[in-house]
Amino acid sequence: MIHFDSNPCDREFRKSLQQEFSRYLEGESKRFLPEDCLKIDLHCHDHNSDTPEELWGRILKLPETWLKTKKLVKCLRNNACDVITMTNHNNARSCWALLEKGQDVLTGAEFTCHFPEYNLFVHILTYGFTRQQEPVLLRKRKDIYQFLHYAAEQNIPVILPHPLYFYTRNDRIDPALFEKLAVMFERFEVLNGQRDLWQSVLTLNWAQGLTPEKIHRYAKKHRLNPEEFGVDPHKPKILAGGSDDHMGIFAGECGSYLHIPNLAERLTRAKPSELALEAIRIGSISPYGQVLENQKLNIALLDYFSGIATRIEDPGLLRILFHRGEISDKLACLAIGNLMLEMQKHKNAQLFFNFVHDALLGKKPGRLIKWKIKKDYRFCIEHLDRISDSKNASPEAFVETVNDSIASLFKQFNLLIIERFRKSSLSHPANKLERFSSEEIARKFEVPSQLSELVFGGRTKRSDMSRLNISDLLDHLSFPVLVTVVLAGTILASTRVLYQNRRFLNEFAETVGCNRHPRRALYLTDTLMDKN
């Protein structure tokens, strides 16, 4: 028998990361007086993040989110944010729209900038720019050096979000990249609500270890002048936080406190957004919030996949075939697109994913729906009720409840699939093999050559022809199978996003000199008489 050990070393490693980061956040919470702080989520998105960075999203013509601006604002307000900003990809359309309505907003955007010598892209959170400056920033983002020079000249503060996550197809990241980033940036996002704890702690220790001596050495080595980027090598790096929320679920739960001395008096003479911009420029920032493993990303992706299932439009076969990307990417998008488009034809699947979206926002299914639901699917309503109730409890309870429900739903739908398959004609006793001969197999499992009869069922004149009705089986299995695939995809996608660069994180930990991941081991054990 084979036993897989969950590796106590790994559990201890994760526990040590949590303790280290909790100590840091506790210290940050005591830096400033609460009455002199403005609360802001410096990293969040709405429907104007409509062009995804990921290749698959572009091939399938999927936006990063369908979240309306007013719902994002409501979520931020519900989490007690004093200042509103949106950092959509390469545009500030939502900020301009709110300003036109007379609302106080700190303009912001997350610009994607190209690092020419490494052929990779990084995101840069940018604040306080004007309508006239936005098109200039868009032009200059093609070269990160030009972008940062212009921002420094115009006194536009920038933050490097998720510093250990890049958009590149390169297998290896040159360590010199981080030496340049240390010279080029003064502010780093050390707390990102959608990234895992390991990345956050590594970023924290790296940024805190950037001494003036190191920055001067890196500047000389790479022939960079920190002043041209608005960086003072003799000041500690400024660390910030943001939720990176796209669905209006976690916006405001992670973010930053901005310290403004004599805040109450200053608010009588200036807008909150103006004071917030002043604090960001000065660097009076203290991150707050909670970082987990992949639990939050699981929830965000579940809501995103629910949105895809109900809103996706056919991207077109020619678009998929001729879009930039590898053949494997295009085949994967073709399969995903067909699955999601097929889901739109299924009424039960549409209802289920609409209910999932509502539950994640704290809304329960109506009583009439509960009465009409089939007995086989009653467990879905129970989990949706639990999720909705937990949304109105604490953030920790919500995250734990949703992830438990995802696992339970996946298990119960699989059991339902097995049970329905067992009752189908495919598992009928007459179809079981009596002996392993080709004649017997051919006789027992002969199927009609007329495809419509195979798929849709019908009468056949041959008595030895297998009575398979694939249409009937698919009708019973389509809903649970579709839901199971989406739930599995949610878990797999979040794990892939967070851990696809595990080798790089290990190498980076070696460079920083701390937070190295322990080695894993597989233990194979055997009893006295068993032979594996």
XYZ file of all heavy atoms in Angstrom, residues 316-362:
374
model
N -15.635 32.835 -32.502
C -15.445 32.517 -33.914
C -14.247 31.609 -34.126
O -13.185 31.815 -33.532
N -14.425 30.616 -34.958
C -13.368 29.636 -35.197
C -12.147 30.267 -35.849
O -11.000 29.963 -35.490
C -13.900 28.495 -36.068
C -12.920 27.355 -36.363
C -12.458 26.694 -35.076
C -13.555 26.336 -37.299
N -12.349 31.166 -36.811
C -11.215 31.784 -37.506
C -10.386 32.635 -36.546
O -9.153 32.685 -36.651
C -11.703 32.630 -38.683
C -12.300 31.849 -39.862
C -12.736 32.802 -40.966
C -11.279 30.851 -40.415
N -11.058 33.311 -35.626
C -10.323 34.115 -34.645
C -9.402 33.225 -33.816
O -8.242 33.550 -33.580
C -11.300 34.857 -33.730
C -10.604 35.621 -32.612
C -11.604 36.220 -31.620
N -10.910 36.861 -30.516
C -10.460 38.099 -30.522
N -10.614 38.841 -31.607
N -9.843 38.614 -29.471
N -9.929 32.090 -33.381
C -9.127 31.165 -32.568
C -7.954 30.634 -33.385
O -6.816 30.569 -32.905
C -10.000 30.010 -32.048
C -11.054 30.553 -31.064
C -9.147 28.939 -31.366
C -12.037 29.502 -30.575
N -8.216 30.268 -34.648
C -7.176 29.643 -35.474
C -6.052 30.619 -35.818
O -4.879 30.249 -35.829
C -7.791 29.091 -36.758
C -8.715 27.875 -36.599
C -9.310 27.492 -37.941
C -7.944 26.692 -36.008
N -6.409 31.884 -36.096
C -5.413 32.839 -36.590
C -4.880 33.768 -35.512
O -4.041 34.620 -35.799
C -6.001 33.665 -37.734
C -6.263 32.848 -38.976
C -7.563 32.606 -39.396
C -5.212 32.297 -39.693
C -7.809 31.835 -40.521
C -5.454 31.536 -40.826
C -6.757 31.298 -41.243
N -5.339 33.616 -34.273
C -4.841 34.466 -33.192
C -3.416 34.064 -32.833
O -2.996 32.917 -33.008
C -5.734 34.333 -31.958
C -5.608 35.466 -30.989
N -4.526 35.602 -30.133
C -6.417 36.533 -30.739
C -4.685 36.688 -29.404
N -5.818 37.275 -29.740
N -2.661 35.051 -32.331
C -1.296 34.758 -31.885
C -1.333 33.736 -30.761
O -2.177 33.794 -29.877
C -0.628 36.044 -31.387
C 0.804 35.851 -30.908
C 1.400 37.185 -30.494
N 0.694 37.785 -29.365
C 0.937 37.463 -28.093
N 1.833 36.539 -27.801
N 0.271 38.060 -27.126
N -0.405 32.787 -30.766
C -0.334 31.787 -29.713
C 0.053 30.425 -30.262
O 0.017 30.181 -31.480
N 0.431 29.548 -29.352
C 0.808 28.194 -29.733
C -0.438 27.372 -30.085
O -1.557 27.706 -29.681
C 1.565 27.517 -28.589
C 2.814 28.257 -28.143
C 3.903 28.248 -29.191
O 3.910 27.318 -30.025
O 4.735 29.174 -29.183
N -0.215 26.280 -30.821
C -1.323 25.385 -31.180
C -2.006 24.851 -29.923
O -3.241 24.744 -29.863
C -0.813 24.215 -32.044
C -0.302 24.726 -33.396
C -1.924 23.189 -32.254
C -1.371 25.367 -34.253
N -1.218 24.542 -28.893
C -1.786 24.020 -27.656
C -2.718 25.040 -27.007
O -3.767 24.684 -26.455
C -0.671 23.634 -26.674
O 0.169 24.750 -26.408
N -2.348 26.336 -27.069
C -3.206 27.388 -26.522
C -4.528 27.456 -27.282
O -5.605 27.587 -26.681
C -2.508 28.743 -26.595
C -1.291 28.821 -25.682
O -1.385 28.337 -24.541
O -0.255 29.355 -26.110
N -4.457 27.379 -28.590
C -5.663 27.485 -29.410
C -6.587 26.285 -29.211
O -7.816 26.442 -29.153
C -5.270 27.617 -30.882
C -4.467 28.890 -31.171
C -3.991 28.952 -32.616
C -3.141 30.200 -32.849
N -2.660 30.289 -34.243
N -6.010 25.096 -29.097
C -6.835 23.907 -28.851
C -7.508 23.985 -27.483
O -8.677 23.614 -27.337
C -5.971 22.644 -28.946
C -5.472 22.280 -30.347
C -4.538 21.067 -30.279
C -6.650 21.990 -31.280
N -6.759 24.466 -26.501
C -7.331 24.607 -25.163
C -8.480 25.611 -25.183
O -9.531 25.373 -24.579
C -6.253 25.052 -24.173
N -8.299 26.734 -25.884
C -9.361 27.749 -25.973
C -10.567 27.220 -26.742
O -11.719 27.541 -26.400
C -8.825 29.010 -26.635
S -7.681 29.941 -25.591
N -10.321 26.424 -27.769
C -11.423 25.827 -28.523
C -12.255 24.922 -27.622
O -13.494 24.950 -27.651
C -10.867 25.043 -29.715
C -11.908 24.407 -30.653
C -12.747 25.485 -31.327
C -11.220 23.541 -31.699
N -11.573 24.121 -26.802
C -12.278 23.209 -25.896
C -13.048 23.986 -24.825
O -14.215 23.704 -24.555
C -11.280 22.256 -25.242
N -12.394 24.986 -24.227
C -13.042 25.777 -23.174
C -14.229 26.544 -23.747
O -15.309 26.597 -23.140
C -12.033 26.744 -22.537
C -10.966 25.960 -21.767
C -12.728 27.727 -21.609
C -9.809 26.815 -21.293
N -14.028 27.156 -24.924
C -15.111 27.909 -25.543
C -16.318 27.045 -25.835
O -17.459 27.443 -25.581
N -16.081 25.845 -26.352
C -17.192 24.944 -26.645
C -17.911 24.508 -25.375
O -19.142 24.411 -25.349
C -16.682 23.716 -27.414
C -16.643 23.952 -28.914
O -17.614 23.703 -29.623
N -15.529 24.460 -29.399
N -17.133 24.243 -24.330
C -17.743 23.837 -23.056
C -18.639 24.945 -22.515
O -19.782 24.699 -22.106
C -16.642 23.507 -22.041
C -17.120 23.227 -20.614
C -17.904 21.932 -20.564
C -15.926 23.168 -19.658
N -18.134 26.180 -22.498
C -18.911 27.283 -21.938
C -20.114 27.634 -22.818
O -21.188 27.968 -22.312
C -18.012 28.507 -21.766
C -16.947 28.328 -20.691
S -17.682 27.965 -19.073
C -16.202 27.884 -18.041
N -19.957 27.564 -24.135
C -21.087 27.827 -25.018
C -22.147 26.747 -24.884
O -23.349 27.025 -24.965
C -20.605 27.921 -26.470
C -19.808 29.188 -26.817
C -19.140 29.038 -28.179
C -20.704 30.424 -26.803
N -21.702 25.511 -24.669
C -22.659 24.419 -24.450
C -23.428 24.646 -23.152
O -24.618 24.333 -23.048
C -21.910 23.085 -24.408
C -22.798 21.858 -24.476
C -23.564 21.752 -25.785
O -23.005 22.160 -26.833
O -24.720 21.284 -25.757
N -22.749 25.216 -22.165
C -23.385 25.466 -20.876
C -24.513 26.480 -20.999
O -25.488 26.435 -20.250
C -22.336 25.948 -19.878
C -22.663 25.627 -18.445
S -21.284 25.960 -17.348
C -20.085 24.782 -17.911
N -24.386 27.409 -21.958
C -25.430 28.405 -22.137
C -26.731 27.801 -22.653
O -27.791 28.402 -22.511
C -24.950 29.493 -23.104
C -23.886 30.407 -22.507
C -23.615 31.613 -23.374
O -23.872 31.600 -24.586
N -23.084 32.660 -22.776
N -26.644 26.623 -23.250
C -27.847 25.952 -23.754
C -28.578 25.202 -22.648
O -29.699 24.754 -22.845
C -27.471 24.963 -24.859
C -26.770 25.591 -26.050
C -26.353 24.519 -27.044
C -25.558 25.098 -28.199
N -25.105 24.040 -29.144
N -27.908 25.042 -21.515
C -28.467 24.231 -20.440
C -29.087 25.139 -19.385
O -28.401 25.860 -18.680
C -27.372 23.355 -19.819
C -27.898 22.163 -19.104
N -28.595 22.258 -17.928
C -27.842 20.840 -19.413
C -28.932 21.048 -17.520
N -28.491 20.174 -18.413
N -30.390 25.103 -19.266
C -31.124 25.995 -18.378
C -30.701 25.814 -16.921
O -30.492 26.803 -16.189
C -32.625 25.751 -18.523
C -33.475 26.692 -17.667
C -34.951 26.418 -17.863
C -35.791 27.330 -16.976
N -37.245 27.068 -17.151
N -30.567 24.566 -16.488
C -30.193 24.320 -15.083
C -28.811 24.878 -14.765
O -28.585 25.438 -13.682
C -30.233 22.821 -14.780
C -31.648 22.292 -14.663
O -32.578 23.056 -14.422
N -31.822 20.990 -14.862
N -27.870 24.722 -15.698
C -26.521 25.240 -15.476
C -26.530 26.762 -15.380
O -25.849 27.353 -14.536
C -25.587 24.782 -16.600
N -27.323 27.411 -16.254
C -27.425 28.859 -16.208
C -27.976 29.337 -14.865
O -27.451 30.267 -14.248
C -28.335 29.344 -17.337
C -27.760 29.148 -18.727
C -26.661 30.148 -19.027
O -26.905 31.331 -19.192
N -25.432 29.677 -19.091
N -29.043 28.674 -14.406
C -29.635 29.042 -13.113
C -28.636 28.842 -11.980
O -28.488 29.696 -11.100
C -30.897 28.210 -12.860
C -32.136 28.579 -13.683
C -33.238 27.555 -13.471
C -32.622 29.970 -13.318
N -27.946 27.714 -12.006
C -27.007 27.394 -10.928
C -25.922 28.459 -10.823
O -25.640 28.961 -9.723
C -26.382 26.018 -11.166
C -25.308 25.666 -10.170
C -25.637 25.250 -8.890
C -23.965 25.764 -10.510
C -24.648 24.934 -7.967
C -22.965 25.451 -9.593
C -23.322 25.026 -8.319
N -25.326 28.819 -11.945
C -24.210 29.775 -11.892
C -24.687 31.198 -11.591
O -23.947 31.981 -11.010
C -23.394 29.702 -13.173
C -22.552 28.468 -13.255
C -22.799 27.493 -14.205
C -21.523 28.258 -12.350
C -22.036 26.345 -14.264
C -20.752 27.108 -12.397
C -21.011 26.149 -13.353
N -25.910 31.525 -11.964
C -26.465 32.808 -11.527
C -26.664 32.822 -10.017
O -26.403 33.829 -9.347
C -27.797 33.073 -12.237
C -27.605 33.646 -13.637
O -26.699 34.442 -13.873
N -28.444 33.222 -14.566
N -27.116 31.690 -9.464
C -27.297 31.587 -8.015
C -25.953 31.645 -7.285
O -25.851 32.215 -6.201
C -28.023 30.286 -7.655
C -29.466 30.263 -8.071
C -30.087 29.064 -8.407
C -30.197 31.432 -8.130
C -31.415 29.047 -8.788
C -31.534 31.417 -8.518
C -32.144 30.220 -8.851
N -24.920 31.044 -7.880
C -23.588 31.089 -7.279
C -23.108 32.533 -7.188
O -22.603 32.974 -6.148
C -22.590 30.246 -8.098
C -21.153 30.540 -7.673
C -22.874 28.754 -7.913
N -23.268 33.281 -8.271
C -22.853 34.691 -8.277
C -23.596 35.483 -7.201
O -22.989 36.259 -6.458
C -23.114 35.298 -9.658
C -22.857 36.774 -9.726
N -21.583 37.315 -9.687
C -23.718 37.828 -9.807
C -21.665 38.635 -9.756
N -22.938 38.971 -9.819
N -24.907 35.274 -7.107
C -25.700 35.989 -6.099
C -25.264 35.607 -4.690
O -25.155 36.472 -3.808
C -27.191 35.676 -6.280
C -27.766 36.328 -7.530
O -27.139 37.270 -8.052
O -28.831 35.879 -8.000
N -25.012 34.312 -4.460
C -24.622 33.851 -3.125
C -23.292 34.456 -2.696
O -23.109 34.812 -1.524
C -24.550 32.322 -3.094
N -22.356 34.590 -3.649
C -21.054 35.182 -3.323
C -21.177 36.657 -2.946
O -20.289 37.211 -2.306
C -20.099 35.019 -4.501
C -19.653 33.584 -4.804
C -18.836 33.539 -6.088
C -18.853 33.000 -3.651
N -22.288 37.260 -3.332
C -22.541 38.652 -2.963
C -23.486 38.756 -1.773
O -23.912 39.864 -1.407
C -23.114 39.418 -4.161
C -22.192 39.537 -5.381
C -22.897 40.250 -6.517
C -20.896 40.258 -5.026
N -23.855 37.593 -1.183
C -24.686 37.601 0.019
C -26.171 37.480 -0.225
O -26.975 37.701 0.688
